[in-house]
Structures are given as C-alpha cells and as structure tokens.
Amino acid sequence: MKEIKPRRTFWQRYMDKYGIKKLPREIVRPFRVCAAEELDDKELRIAPSWGMEMWLYILRNLAYTAAFVGLMVSLVAPTKFDTPIYAKLFFVSLTAGVILHVASYLIPKRQAIFDRTTGMVRTPNHPLIRKKATETPFEEWEAISRFYYTEIGSPTYELFVRNTRIPYVVMLGVTSTFDGVLGMWSFMLQYMKKDAPLPDVPDLEQYPNRTKGLGTWEEWKWKSRLPDFVDPYEVAKARMEREQAEEKSVNAVGTKKPHTPAA
C-alpha cells in the first residue's frame, strides 16, 4: 500500500527552505544580551528591522550616489555628455541627500519596547501605512531563527520575535553561532519575567538581584564536553514538537464532522 505523506503548508516549506526554526520557550543556554539600543532594569528598546530610519538611510545613500555620479561625469568627461544635465543632477541629489541626512536625526526613533515591569510589548506605528501602534503581552510572542551564508561564505544566524496574533516581527540580533541565538532568546525569556531576577549580563551589572541562569559560557563549554551531558535545547525542542503534534491531532479530531448513521 502506498504511503501517504502529510501535506506541508507553505510556511512549513518556507521554513525548511530558508533554514528557519521555531525556538522552544525555555531557557536553554547561558544568557547573551540582545542588540538593544536602550536597556535597563525596566525596559529594552530596539528599532524594527525596516523602520523609518532604514528607509531614510537607503534613500540618503542613493541620493549621495547620484550626486557622486553627476560630479564625476561633469568633471571627467564634459565633452562626451551633456554637462549641464549632470551638473544639475549633482546639485539636486546633493541637496536631497543633505535633507534626508538631517531628517534622520530630527525624526523621533521608532522603537519596539519590551516592558519588564508590565510584561507587555509596545510596537510603533508603521512608517508608510496607517497602522496603529499596539501593546500585546509577551506571552503572545514567539522566537524564530534564520540561518544563511553571507557572500563570503560566513555562517550567520538571525533571531526574530514575532507576534502570534498580529503580523509584526522584530529582529533581536545577529550572531555567527546557533548557541548565540539560543543565548539571546534565553536572555529575553528571563528578562521579561517581571518578578524574577534579572539576567546576569555586563549591561545589567549595576542592578541588584541578578541570576546567572545556566551559568557562564565558560562553565557551559566545560559541561557540554562531559559524556553524560544532556542538551536542554534538544529536550525542550522534543517537548515542543510533541505538544504541537498533540495539539494538531486534537484540532484535527475537532474539525471532523460527526458521522450520522442512515435511517
């Protein structure tokens, strides 16, 4: 009898193709601080990956590039091209670049705020469309990791958190190892426990009531080499996959239409 393989959704195929993994919601590595713009014992602030600052940065660089092209053509080959046009391109593009450069400093920063005191995450409004700011509990956010090779062949891991109720994604950091991703996610899980000690990292060493969690990275490297070592990530991952399979099975049973016998 031919085996029937379960059909995979588009998102599952996308995750497999691009090396995207969903991370278990458990502390599985020593703490590693995220790439936060502001961090204290109450709030962690980080700019969205594609905020207004990024658009201004791209447009500013395009304007400066156009100004450079106009200047070089006007100076190097004035007889082969229409020089007034490229001179005008230089001045117009340079003016636009300066305006965008100044605007990048004057426009208030858009930041996603992870509030430890309330356990909530505040997201800014969208820079281009009229999308209102939101405030959602941290329990609604899950972590995913993406792996890829750069142009020079360097392995790169990115950590994102996304809301399960609204389409919003925030990148928390980039690292060269998967352990680094797990360390940043473990840091976030500990940090957002408002009644628990703060994660013991250099950026928070001025605050009391800290915890080392699973220990330092030096201690972790030593423990991971022991013959009886059990990786807490693998344990948590197996538990997460088992719970997902059970939930999927229950949902599948609930959607089946009840059989009504013929009269």
Side-chain angles (χ1 to χ4, degrees):
M1 184 175 180
K2 184 179 180 181
E3 180 183 1
I4 301 177
K5 296 183 178 180
R7 183 181 178 183
R8 300 182 62 79
T9 64
F10 169 79
W11 177 245
Q12 288 173 325
R13 295 195 301 269
Y14 183 86
M15 292 179 69
D16 293 341
K17 181 178 179 180
Y18 294 99
I20 297 177
K21 293 182 179 180
K22 180 180 176 181
L23 304 182
R25 200 180 180 84
E26 296 184 36
I27 295 174
V28 295
R29 287 294 186 275
F31 301 131
R32 178 173 178 175
V33 70
C34 302
E37 294 184 332
E38 300 178 37
L39 174 64
D40 56 25
D41 62 333
K42 296 181 177 62
E43 290 182 347
L44 181 151
R45 294 171 175 258
I46 187 168
S49 304
W50 281 93
M52 180 63 75
E53 296 83 4
M54 179 61 70
W55 288 112
L56 289 175
Y57 175 79
I58 294 174
L59 294 175
R60 181 192 69 190
N61 287 349
L62 289 175
Y64 284 152
T65 302
F68 177 78
V69 171
L71 178 63
M72 289 296 100
V73 173
S74 300
L75 295 178
V76 176
T79 59
K80 294 183 179 180
F81 299 95
D82 192 348
T83 304
I85 294 179
Y86 284 93
K88 185 181 295 185
L89 174 65
F90 166 71
F91 287 110
V92 172
S93 299
L94 181 62
T95 302
V98 171
I99 292 175
L100 292 170
H101 206 135
V102 174
S104 64
Y105 290 97
L106 297 180
I107 294 178
K109 289 185 177 180
R110 298 173 61 257
Q111 295 176 319
I113 303 174
F114 295 81
D115 193 330
R116 170 179 165 86
T117 59
T118 62
M120 304 293 286
V121 181
R122 299 193 296 275
T123 58
N125 57 347
H126 197 278
L128 299 179
I129 60 178
R130 294 181 178 179
K131 194 172 184 179
K132 295 182 179 180
T134 61
E135 186 174 42
T136 53
F138 182 65
E139 286 74 17
E140 292 183 358
W141 292 73
E142 63 182 10
I144 54 175
S145 172
R146 183 170 80 100
F147 170 76
Y148 63 93
Y149 288 100
T150 63
E151 292 78 2
I152 61 175
S154 301
T156 303
Y157 293 86
E158 295 176 333
L159 174 64
F160 297 88
V161 289
R162 65 182 180 190
N163 191 283
T164 56
R165 189 169 57 87
I166 59 175
Y168 203 96
V169 178
V170 178
M171 187 171 73
L172 293 183
V174 180
T175 178
S176 60
T177 64
F178 188 56
D179 280 344
V181 163
L182 296 178
M184 288 188 287
W185 179 229
S186 297
F187 166 84
M188 285 299 302
L189 292 174
Q190 181 67 34
Y191 180 82
M192 291 302 290
K193 295 178 182 178
K194 59 181 181 179
D195 298 325
L198 286 165
D200 191 2
V201 294
D203 299 66
L204 298 173
E205 62 183 2
Q206 69 270 33
Y207 302 106
N209 193 23
R210 304 188 309 274
T211 178
K212 290 187 178 296
L214 299 181
T216 64
W217 282 102
E218 289 73 18
E219 295 170 345
W220 175 264
K221 291 177 182 177
W222 175 77
K223 289 190 299 185
S224 63
R225 296 190 182 100
L226 297 177
D228 58 345
F229 172 76
V230 178
D231 190 341
Y233 166 71
E234 296 297 336
V235 176
K237 178 184 175 184
R239 185 184 301 115
M240 177 186 68
E241 292 176 347
R242 183 171 62 251
E243 292 173 353
Q244 290 176 344
E246 293 174 354
E247 181 180 358
K248 187 176 180 180
S249 176
V250 171
N251 293 336
V253 173
T255 55
K256 289 183 178 180
K257 295 181 179 180
H259 176 69
T260 54

